[in-house]
């Protein structure tokens, strides 16, 4: 009997071990596969020949998936909480959730620190070191992610393209009819801007479902940009001796009063209070908004133009489309242009702490290759000799896009790129996406702003318009005519207990108070000021000022 | 003197033009479609996705006749037609709550415009002997559970109500309406694409739930006597998705599924390199290892065939459909698929006016078609596109039941496939040349074909495609000849040539 019991016991132990071992194997990361989830993978499935070439080059397999814009944070958070983070993932680390996401990842051991010495990956090292505020991301001297650089050469405009697109065709029409007495040249003073809104309101908006001015939901009320000192929660007081609530400054309140006046007089006729994300954009391309504030990134601007074209009852000429999507340059009551500031990076790429050192080194090597000149050419154009060839640019060389051209793009001084296998759609006359995995994988480290003008997939009709606008604003910046709204870095990246925990919620509540003041006649200015400066605000500001040695 | 120089210059110019026109073809020698090089004895033909028109108000008035004319000329052997339960199910929670699975007292509206539109497609298929895969895109309800009142999203197709709805729908179509042309049921589109929570109805439709759904639907079909109605195993998309689903289906559902269905959207480069054939062959081989009936009593079809290159993911439109290259590449895709083992193939899709994206911008047409009957489309967009004509050649040449052969000794970038009907009275072949130089060879079929004594030769590329006065493809040449006699064929670069014993 004892023998039988012993055998049963031995079998049980063996079975438990086997089950445990199997469970252990399930949790173990597969060294041969790199799992990556990224916001920019939404139209790529990893099943192309270029990806296969990279897999062969680095002796690995990629398993890729994407986040959706609408649920990005939720999706990252969900896989973090369920302990199922992919090997490489991307998260939005912005000014108000920096502390409670990045630090939380670090503190609970979910993410793996980058090697102290990045010199084996010189391109990655250069990228990381070129990020302006990188020191703020180091915890005990270690960096836990790679900021996704907008431009690996570092020369990113300090301002965002959050600005106004407008119906220049309406303005021209009203000008012709003698109902608008300003020059229709896209560059407007505050008085001219106001005159334009009035003309739109008086002549286009009387039906009640057409609006002179509207903002993307998160940007409302945009006109406060011309008054306020900082983009979000915090700014210094006028003597720079104390960090205060940006929402409670006199400048902000003056802007708020102006916004309320325009809600009441109907310029801001669109119901921003009830608008869901994306609705205002839809109304603009539906032809019912005269001036629209939006993030005019190349992608967004291209999409807006495409939507206008597609919802049009007939094919619009380029000139017509340009007139329906003209970009406005507005200077505020102080005579200066005002734009939100931006970082030279957007979001961060993290490595799961479950991956081995060897796997992390492999991923860094892949990133390094993709950032190198060879890797960039591969991601941008494909295989040399098959998809493109390099040609010497001489005095007689012709750049263009037809059979008589010697090259399509200037790669660098004296070197041109002649596309070989690339196909243009006969419908759109644009190059079609060959789905090159290297292009997508490169998004792990950079958004590639530095190569936009060399990219066959860049919308050639939209890009020059944005570039002109950016060049104009750069010139204004140079001349001291542009106010760039930025939160001071020492405040932005500072982590204090209440800021870490509540800053996001406080920002949301402040924006709600703004809306309440604008749309609720019973909500007084005193109530508003109280909401945006008392309670949690006081605790948070107290911690910040103490941490900065100000108060 | 000036005159002489001018004449000399003119001569040089003429010689240059002639030299440019006369591209030297690479001689590949004799290409024999030998009797022992059978590719398939169980080929079921080619077809097209001809989905339920979602809103015929968006089409040109009177365009249905044009659609029927186009389909008649295409003569598909297979059609995939998808629909939505949301269109038909009414009073879903009349007597219960969303989580009351026992409440099956909902009703159907089978008299609405979508059912009329579906029946229009099925009428044609029934009358013309076209085999149809009919399916439902997804479960009913709103992908965003906060807005959803039906409660089917979490359990997806494993929800028992799904099986009942599908059985009721198929009962109506097959037993009430008599559409015996429906041979397969599609248990949701691309179940492996789970998408994002809140925006995809498939988000919770794991393989296990999908498998349970198939079992439930099978039982529901059997219980109402629809025992011959097969369920497609998979309808999955992409290599990774198919590699995930097909082995499980072969292991767990071999007794339920007779048709392994996949969707394949591949890049131009994969097609041009010819590696696509190997990918399909590998998938086919892996599946057959687990289910030996594949290739005997069971088949593997591509139920959605298209190119990934040119796809705009935001608008779900294909930018290359107006290019001649698309027709050439899809022909190459077809040949490589069949060489890889595929028994039937359905192109995505027939008409731009069938399917729409419903986003913030409202409904925008998914432009993937062989033509467009959209009222909003320009005249150019409404034309039959080059790939319609190339598809007409293929669907008419490679008929169901034909025996298919390949050949060896090909030059690089060349792919061939020949076909002979069961009675050995007609047949033909296709020669594709993906290289950048013209190729020339002498082609002959070993299998005896008692054909008409004429050969109809069609050349497909931008410069050569010939259309008749009715706007449909016509042969470039008609010559006296026989498939069993050597015929010299020159195929220009990036082109294909079809040789047929019958006018296609």
């Amino acid at each position: 009997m004892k023998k039988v019991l012993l055998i049963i016991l031995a079998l049980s132990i063996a079975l438990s071990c086997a089950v445990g071992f199997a469970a252990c194997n399930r949790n173990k990361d597969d060294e041969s596969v790199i799992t990556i989830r990224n916001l920019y993978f939404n139209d790529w499935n990893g099943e192309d020949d270029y990806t296969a070439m990279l897999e062969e080059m680095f002796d690995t397999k990629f398993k890729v998936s994407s986040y959706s814009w609408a649920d990005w944070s939720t999706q990252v958070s969900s896989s973090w909480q369920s302990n199922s983070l992919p090997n490489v993932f991307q998260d939005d680390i912005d000014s108000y959730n920096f502390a409670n996401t990045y630090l939380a990842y670090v503190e609970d051991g979910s993410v793996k620190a980058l090697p102290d010495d990045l010199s084996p990956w010189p391109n990655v090292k250069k990228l990381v070191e070129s990020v302006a505020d990188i020191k703020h991301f180091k915890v005990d001297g270690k960096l836990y992610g790679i900021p996704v650089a907008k431009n690996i050469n570092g020369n990113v405009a300090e301002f965002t393209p959050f600005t106004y697109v407008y119906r220049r065709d309406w303005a021209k029409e009203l000008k012709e009819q003698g109902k608008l007495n300003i020059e229709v040249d896209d560059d407007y003073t505050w008085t001219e801007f106001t005159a334009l809104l009035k003309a739109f309101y008086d002549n286009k908006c009387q039906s009640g479902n057409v609006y002179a001015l509207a903002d993307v939901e998160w940007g409302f009320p945009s006109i406060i940009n011309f008054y306020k000192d900082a983009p979000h929660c915090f700014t210094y007081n006028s003597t720079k001796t104390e960090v205060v609530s940006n929402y409670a400054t006199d400048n902000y309140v003056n802007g708020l009063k102006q916004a309320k006046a325009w809600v009441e007089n109907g310029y801001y006729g669109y119901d921003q209070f009830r608008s869901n994300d994306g609705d205002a954009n839809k109304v603009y391309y539906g032809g019912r908004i005269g001036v629209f504030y939006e993030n005019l990134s190349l992608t967004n601007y291209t999409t807006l133009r495409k939507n206008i074209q597609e919802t049009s009852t007939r094919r619009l000429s380029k000139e017509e489309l340009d007139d329906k999507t003209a970009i406005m340059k507005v200077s505020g009551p102080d005579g200066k242009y005002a734009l939100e500031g931006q970082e030279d990076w957007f979001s961060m790429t993290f490595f799961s702490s479950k991956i081995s050192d060897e796997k992390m080194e492999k991923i860094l090597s892949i990133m390094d290759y993709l950032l190198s000149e060879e890797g960039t050419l591969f991601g941008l154009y494909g295989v040399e000799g098959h998809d493109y060839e390099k040609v010497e640019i001489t005095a007689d060389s012709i750049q263009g896009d037809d059979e008589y051209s010697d090259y399509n793009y200037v790669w660098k001084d004296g070197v041109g790129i002649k596309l070989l296998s690339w196909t243009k759609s006969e419908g759109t006359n644009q190059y079609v996406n060959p789905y090159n995995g290297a292009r997508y994988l490169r998004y792990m480290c950079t958004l590639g702003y530095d190569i936009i003008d060399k990219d066959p997939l860049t919308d050639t009709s939209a890009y020059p318009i944005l570039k002109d606008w950016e060049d104009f604003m750069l010139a204004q910046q140079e001349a001291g005519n542009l106010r760039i709204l930025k939160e001071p870095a020492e405040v932005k990246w500072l982590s204090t207990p209440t800021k870490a925990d509540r800053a996001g919620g406080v920002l949301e509540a402040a924006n709600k108070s703004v809306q309440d003041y604008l749309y609720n006649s019973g909500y007084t200015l005193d109530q508003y000021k109280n909401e945006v400066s008392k309670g949690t605000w006081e605790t948070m500001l107290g911690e910040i000022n103490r941490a900065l040695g100000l108060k | 003197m000036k005159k002489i120089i001018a004449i000399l210059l003119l001569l040089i110019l003429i010689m240059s033009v002639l030299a440019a026109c006369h591209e030297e073809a690479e001689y590949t020698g004799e290409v024999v479609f030998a009797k022992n090089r059978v590719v398939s004895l169980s080929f079921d033909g080619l077809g097209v996705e001809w989905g339920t028109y979602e809103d015929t108000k968006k089409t040109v008035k009177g365009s249905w006749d044009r659609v029927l004319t186009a389909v008649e000329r295409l003569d598909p052997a297979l059609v995939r037609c998808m629909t939505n339960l949301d269109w038909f199910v009414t009073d879903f929670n009349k007597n219960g709550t969303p989580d009351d699975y026992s409440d099956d007292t909902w009703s159907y509206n089978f008299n609405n415009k979508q059912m009329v539109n579906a029946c229009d497609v099925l009428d044609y298929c029934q009358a013309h002997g076209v085999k149809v895969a009919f399916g439902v895109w997804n479960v009913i309800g709103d992908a965003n559970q906060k807005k959803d009142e039906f409660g089917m999203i979490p359990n997806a197709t494993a929800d028992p109500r799904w099986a009942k709805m599908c059985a009721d729908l198929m009962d109506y179509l097959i037993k009430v309406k008599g559409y015996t042309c429906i041979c397969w049921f599609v248990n949701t589109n691309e179940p492996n694409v789970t998408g994002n929570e809140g925006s995809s109805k498939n988000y919770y439709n794991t393989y296990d739930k999908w498998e349970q759904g198939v079992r439930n639907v099978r039982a529901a079909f059997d219980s109402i006597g629809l025992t011959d109605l097969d369920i497609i195993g998979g309808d999955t998309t992409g290599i990774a998705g198919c590699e995930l689903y097909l082995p499980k289906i072969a292991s767990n559902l071999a007794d339920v599924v007779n048709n392994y269905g996949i969707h394949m959207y591949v890049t131009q480069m994969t097609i041009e390199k010819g590696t696509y054939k190997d990918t399909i062959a590998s998938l086919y081989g892996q599946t057959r290892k687990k289910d030996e009936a594949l290739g005997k009593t069971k088949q593997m079809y591509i139920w959605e065939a298209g190119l990934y290159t040119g796809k705009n993911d935001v608008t779900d439109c294909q930018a290359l459909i107006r290019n001649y290259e698309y027709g050439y590449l899809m022909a190459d895709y077809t040949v490589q698929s069949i060489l890889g083992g595929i028994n039937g193939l359905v192109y995505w899709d027939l008409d731009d006016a069938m399917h729409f994206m419903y986003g913030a911008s409202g409904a925008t047409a998914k432009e993937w078609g062989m033509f467009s009957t959209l009222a909003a489309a320009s005249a150019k967009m409404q034309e039959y596109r080059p790939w319609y004509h190339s598809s007409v050649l293929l669907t008419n040449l490679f008929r169901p039941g034909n025996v298919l052969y390949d050949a060896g000794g090909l030059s690089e970038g060349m792919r061939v496939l020949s076909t002979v009907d069961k009675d050995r009275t007609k047949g033909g072949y296709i020669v594709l040349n993906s290289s950048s130089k013209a190729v020339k060879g002498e082609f002959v079929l070993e299998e005896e074909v008692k054909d008409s004594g004429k050969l109809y030769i069609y050349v497909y590329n931008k410069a050569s495609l010939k259309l008749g006065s009715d706007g449909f493809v016509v042969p470039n040449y008609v010559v006296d000849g026989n498939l069993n006699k050597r015929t010299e064929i020159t195929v220009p670069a990036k082109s294909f040539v079809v040789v047929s014993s019958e006018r296609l």
Side-chain angles (χ1 to χ4, degrees):
Chain A
M1 185 64 187
K2 267 186 187 171
K3 216 171 183 177
V4 174
L5 281 173
L6 272 174
I7 290 168
I8 290 172
L9 192 65
L11 279 172
S12 305
I13 291 168
L15 194 66
S16 308
C17 286
V19 169
F21 184 69
C24 207
N25 269 346
R26 275 201 299 276
N27 288 328
K28 206 175 161 191
D29 185 51
D30 181 352
E31 282 295 319
S32 65
V33 176
I34 298 172
T35 56
I36 311 171
R37 197 168 179 190
N38 187 289
L39 191 62
Y40 296 95
F41 290 178
N42 59 356
D43 59 347
W44 171 60
N45 64 8
E47 293 179 1
D48 58 276
D49 289 275
Y50 303 94
T51 305
M53 287 177 215
L54 278 176
E55 288 176 336
E56 197 177 332
M57 200 184 301
F58 290 97
D59 188 24
T60 192
K61 287 270 173 206
F62 297 110
K63 193 176 169 190
V64 300
S65 55
S66 70
Y67 297 112
S68 65
W69 274 101
D71 299 310
W72 182 17
S73 299
T74 314
Q75 287 165 355
V76 177
S77 174
S78 157
S79 60
W80 175 43
Q81 282 162 4
S82 60
N83 198 24
S84 58
L85 286 167
N87 296 159
V88 187
F89 68 99
Q90 180 193 12
D91 198 7
D92 186 12
I93 303 295
D94 60 31
S95 54
Y96 51 90
N97 77 8
F98 158 68
N100 61 1
T101 50
Y102 182 89
L103 288 182
Y105 291 155
V106 174
E107 282 163 10
D108 84 346
S110 295
V111 293
K112 194 175 174 82
L114 266 57
D116 293 335
D117 180 13
L118 286 173
S119 52
W121 307 280
N123 297 307
V124 175
K125 185 169 190 275
K126 185 181 153 208
L127 180 149
V128 168
E129 288 175 352
S130 69
V131 171
D133 292 323
I134 199 71
K135 63 180 180 192
H136 296 289
F137 290 98
K138 292 202 171 168
V139 179
D140 297 331
K142 289 198 172 290
L143 188 62
Y144 286 84
I146 295 179
V148 179
K150 288 178 177 168
N151 179 333
I152 55 170
N153 298 325
N155 49 342
V156 176
E158 285 179 56
F159 48 84
T160 60
F162 303 171
T163 192
Y164 295 98
V165 58
Y166 83 113
R167 295 294 301 265
R168 189 167 59 204
D169 53 338
W170 289 8
K172 282 180 177 174
E173 177 195 323
L174 294 174
K175 170 91 177 164
E176 267 181 32
Q177 293 170 354
K179 293 172 180 170
L180 179 65
N181 295 316
I182 60 167
E183 201 62 44
V184 180
D185 61 358
D186 302 340
D187 184 13
Y188 301 115
T189 63
W190 190 250
T191 309
E192 289 169 333
F193 180 56
T194 311
L196 185 78
L197 292 177
K198 184 174 185 324
F200 281 1
Y201 179 73
D202 290 344
N203 298 287
K204 294 282 183 185
C205 307
Q206 297 310 307
S207 65
N209 69 347
V210 179
Y211 315 102
L213 173 66
D215 298 339
V216 61
E217 287 73 16
W218 51 261
F220 177 74
S222 63
I223 62 151
I224 297 183
N225 287 348
F226 297 102
Y227 296 83
K228 69 187 184 185
D229 304 302
H232 301 303
C233 289
F234 309 110
T235 186
Y236 282 111
N237 63 2
S238 56
T239 55
K240 307 276 181 201
T241 52
E242 189 184 344
V243 175
V244 296
S245 161
N246 180 45
Y247 285 85
T249 62
D250 290 345
N251 287 343
Y252 196 100
V253 170
N254 286 338
L256 191 62
K257 285 176 181 168
Q258 181 64 70
K260 191 172 177 75
W262 283 4
V263 167
E264 287 173 353
N265 74 4
Y267 292 0
Y268 260 134
Y270 178 69
D271 188 353
Q272 301 274 174
F273 191 71
R274 289 182 182 81
S275 184
N276 293 315
D277 283 352
D279 283 354
N281 189 297
K282 187 177 163 185
V283 177
Y284 183 78
Y285 66 72
R288 296 194 287 122
I289 292 174
V291 181
F292 179 48
Y293 179 77
E294 174 62 289
N295 173 5
L296 297 182
S297 66
L298 180 60
T299 308
N300 290 353
Y301 186 53
T302 305
T303 306
L304 186 71
R305 286 167 63 89
K306 184 175 166 40
N307 285 336
I308 286 178
Q309 184 65 269
E310 282 186 352
T311 49
S312 172
T313 49
R314 62 178 176 80
R315 185 90 195 156
L316 301 171
S317 68
K318 183 181 180 307
E319 290 68 29
E320 287 174 315
L321 187 57
D322 289 353
D323 271 356
K324 287 177 191 292
T325 57
I327 303 181
M328 189 184 266
K329 300 131 184 170
V330 186
S331 49
D334 61 354
K336 294 197 171 184
Y337 302 90
L339 294 167
E340 260 193 46
Q342 66 173 347
E343 306 300 331
D344 49 3
W345 54 278
F346 167 71
S347 75
M348 204 174 240
T349 293
F350 293 97
F351 301 86
S352 161
S353 58
K354 286 182 188 167
I355 64 170
S356 66
D357 290 347
E358 290 73 25
K359 190 182 237 187
M360 176 181 244
E361 284 166 12
K362 185 174 274 188
I363 299 166
L364 287 169
S365 298
I366 294 165
M367 289 175 164
D368 201 66
Y369 168 75
L370 293 169
L371 291 169
S372 70
E373 180 172 343
E374 187 190 340
T376 303
L377 281 164
F378 180 57
L380 197 54
Y381 303 118
V383 178
E384 189 170 1
H386 178 267
D387 298 314
Y388 76 97
E389 62 185 2
K390 285 185 196 158
V391 295
E392 187 189 353
I393 299 175
T394 66
D396 299 328
S397 301
I398 301 168
Q399 182 177 6
D401 226 9
D402 55 36
E403 57 191 300
Y404 307 107
S405 321
D406 298 300
Y407 64 100
N408 299 77
Y409 301 97
V410 178
W411 176 246
K412 57 187 180 186
D413 282 350
V415 181
I417 297 293
K418 174 82 179 163
L419 300 178
L420 300 177
S421 73
W422 285 72
T423 310
K424 268 191 171 180
S425 160
E426 292 191 8
T428 62
N429 201 34
Q430 299 276 343
Y431 287 107
V432 299
N433 191 345
Y435 288 99
N436 174 345
R439 169 186 287 268
Y440 292 89
L441 289 166
R442 209 167 175 269
Y443 284 125
M444 290 191 293
C445 346
T446 177
L447 301 187
Y449 283 15
D450 49 308
I451 49 175
I452 282 178
D453 60 346
K454 303 176 199 309
D455 187 346
L457 299 185
T458 296
D459 183 335
T460 47
S461 70
Y463 178 67
I465 298 171
L466 275 176
K467 186 79 176 73
D468 281 351
W469 174 86
E470 187 182 275
D471 288 345
F472 176 89
M473 287 301 168
L474 285 169
Q476 298 306 319
Q477 186 184 4
E478 182 85 17
N481 291 332
L482 173 65
R483 281 194 316 116
I484 298 176
L485 309 176
K486 283 191 99 167
E487 212 160 63
E490 66 276 14
V491 180
K492 186 170 185 172
W493 306 117
L494 177 70
S495 178
T496 71
T498 310
K499 183 171 182 267
D501 193 34
R502 304 292 302 278
V506 160
L507 179 70
E508 211 170 287
N511 286 332
K512 185 172 181 310
S513 299
V514 168
Q515 293 228 350
D516 284 342
Y517 176 69
L518 295 179
Y519 285 102
N520 181 350
S521 56
Y523 191 85
T524 66
L525 194 57
D526 285 341
Q527 267 179 294
Y528 165 79
K529 284 182 178 173
N530 202 44
E531 286 288 340
V532 298
S533 60
K534 304 291 183 197
T536 308
W537 278 96
E538 289 171 308
T539 315
M540 194 162 57
L541 289 165
E543 286 176 3
I544 291 169
N545 282 311
R546 280 193 294 280
L548 295 174
L550 294 171
K551 201 177 172 188
Chain B
M1 185 62 185
K2 272 184 185 172
K3 218 170 182 177
I4 294 170
I5 292 172
I7 291 167
L8 277 172
L9 281 172
L10 188 67
L11 277 172
I12 290 168
L13 183 69
I14 291 168
M15 281 167 71
S16 308
V17 170
L18 284 175
C21 292
H22 183 75
E23 191 186 0
E24 190 60 41
E26 188 178 313
Y27 184 67
T28 193
E30 190 181 60
V31 176
V32 181
F33 295 101
K35 277 184 183 177
N36 63 357
R37 294 194 65 120
V38 173
V39 173
S40 181
L41 289 169
S42 54
F43 181 66
D44 292 334
L46 306 172
V48 69
E49 173 87 18
W50 190 9
T52 305
Y53 281 67
E54 294 172 15
D55 187 359
T56 46
K57 282 185 188 158
K58 289 191 165 72
T59 60
V60 178
K61 213 173 174 188
S63 60
W64 186 245
D65 286 343
R66 184 168 176 248
V67 173
L68 291 178
T69 306
V71 175
E72 272 173 25
R73 189 71 181 80
L74 188 68
D75 198 11
L78 303 167
V79 155
R80 180 170 177 264
C81 180
M82 298 294 282
T83 191
N84 262 317
L85 283 172
D86 302 65
W87 295 334
F88 310 127
V89 175
T90 59
D91 300 326
F92 184 65
N93 293 320
K94 189 169 57 179
N95 299 318
T97 57
D99 55 357
D100 180 3
Y101 300 146
S102 63
D103 170 25
D104 60 357
T105 57
W106 61 81
S107 326
Y108 299 97
N109 178 5
F110 287 146
N111 295 313
N112 60 14
K113 62 174 186 175
Q114 285 94 348
M115 183 54 86
V116 170
N117 297 345
C119 290
D120 281 345
V121 173
L122 293 169
D123 283 342
Y124 176 92
C125 295
Q126 184 70 21
H128 291 80
V130 181
K131 290 163 86 175
V132 177
F134 195 91
V136 180
W137 290 111
N138 229 305
V139 293
I140 62 169
D142 197 312
N144 182 346
Q145 287 189 72
K146 288 176 196 161
K147 296 181 189 168
D148 183 45
E149 55 178 320
F150 301 101
M152 287 184 81
I153 302 295
N155 283 324
T157 51
D159 188 316
R161 292 170 295 188
W162 164 259
K164 173 154 177 53
M165 287 174 189
C166 295
D168 288 346
L169 175 65
M170 301 317 290
D171 181 69
Y172 174 76
L173 290 171
I174 297 175
K175 290 166 75 177
V176 178
K177 297 287 289 183
Y179 293 124
T180 51
C181 58
I182 301 176
C183 301
W184 303 275
F185 176 73
V186 185
N187 191 55
T188 72
N189 177 61
E190 300 182 352
N192 64 304
V193 181
T194 49
N196 290 311
E197 191 173 15
S199 57
S200 166
K201 289 185 183 183
N202 237 1
Y203 185 72
Y204 297 100
N205 198 14
T206 58
Y207 172 81
D208 291 340
K209 285 179 187 166
W210 177 85
E211 183 187 314
Q212 186 58 52
V214 170
R215 291 187 186 285
N216 294 348
V217 170
R218 177 74 272 154
F221 285 172
D222 291 346
S223 73
I224 56 170
L226 294 177
T227 49
D228 291 339
L229 180 59
D230 193 12
I231 301 173
I232 288 174
D235 213 50
T236 47
T237 190
I239 297 300
C242 294
E243 284 179 346
L244 180 71
Y245 269 60
L246 265 50
K248 289 183 185 175
I249 294 167
S251 299
N252 305 346
L253 290 171
D255 56 335
V256 179
V257 161
N258 284 321
N259 185 288
Y260 290 94
I262 61 175
H263 298 184
M264 281 292 151
Y265 292 90
V266 293
T267 63
Q268 181 173 348
M269 194 183 198
T270 305
I271 295 295
E272 285 176 343
K273 279 172 67 181
T275 53
Y276 172 59
K277 183 193 85 173
D278 302 330
T279 305
I280 290 297
S282 164
L283 190 66
Y284 193 89
Q286 285 169 27
T287 310
R288 191 158 59 181
K289 265 187 197 169
K290 289 189 177 285
D291 185 353
E292 289 179 354
L294 177 59
K296 295 171 188 163
T297 57
K298 297 183 181 181
Q299 290 81 35
M300 184 182 284
Y301 287 3
I302 298 178
W303 283 107
E304 281 190 22
L307 281 197
Y308 195 38
T309 306
K311 181 188 175 190
N312 181 328
D313 212 61
V314 177
T315 57
D316 199 359
C317 292
Q318 170 52 263
L320 286 179
I321 42 173
R322 280 167 60 184
N323 289 35
Y324 276 77
E325 290 99 315
Y326 200 79
Y328 165 75
L329 290 162
M330 286 308 295
D332 199 353
Y333 173 117
T334 306
V335 169
Q336 289 190 49
S337 298
I338 295 169
L339 291 174
I342 292 298
N343 308 97
L345 184 146
V346 166
Y347 298 116
W348 181 270
D349 59 8
L350 182 72
D351 181 356
D352 290 353
M354 299 183 305
H355 305 307
F356 294 85
M357 285 269 275
Y358 299 93
S361 56
T364 53
K366 295 183 177 186
E367 293 168 2
W368 281 85
M370 295 178 177
F371 55 87
S372 174
T373 58
L374 280 169
S378 64
K380 187 83 188 156
M381 285 294 281
Q382 292 183 13
E383 287 175 0
Y384 294 127
R385 293 168 187 152
W387 87 286
Y388 167 73
H389 301 300
S390 61
S391 301
V392 164
L393 295 177
L394 270 70
T395 49
N396 283 278
L397 181 66
F398 297 106
R399 299 303 301 170
N402 283 14
V403 181
L404 309 182
Y405 304 87
D406 74 352
L410 306 175
S411 57
E412 201 181 330
M414 185 189 262
R415 274 175 283 282
V416 297
L417 188 66
S418 72
T419 175
V420 177
D421 79 332
K422 272 183 191 162
D423 303 332
R424 309 287 189 270
T425 56
K426 49 190 167 185
Y429 49 85
I430 182 170
V431 184
L432 290 130
N433 174 19
S434 69
S435 75
S436 51
K437 269 192 88 174
V439 290
K440 187 166 67 178
E442 289 171 18
F443 296 82
V444 61
L445 261 76
E446 206 173 77
E447 180 68 60
E448 192 183 349
V449 184
K450 296 186 185 81
D451 59 25
S452 61
K454 293 225 178 281
L455 293 179
Y456 298 83
I457 301 171
Y458 302 81
V459 183
Y460 180 89
N461 60 31
K462 192 170 184 174
S464 307
L465 180 71
K466 200 172 164 189
L467 302 181
S469 57
D470 57 358
F472 294 109
V473 64
V474 293
N476 297 73
Y477 318 99
V478 182
V479 296
D480 291 333
N482 183 291
L483 294 168
N484 299 126
K485 288 180 187 162
R486 281 192 202 91
T487 306
E488 187 178 289
I489 302 289
T490 299
V491 189
K494 308 278 182 196
S495 307
F496 71 80
V497 170
V498 161
V499 177
S500 170
S501 63
E502 301 281 314
R503 187 182 290 272
L504 297 174

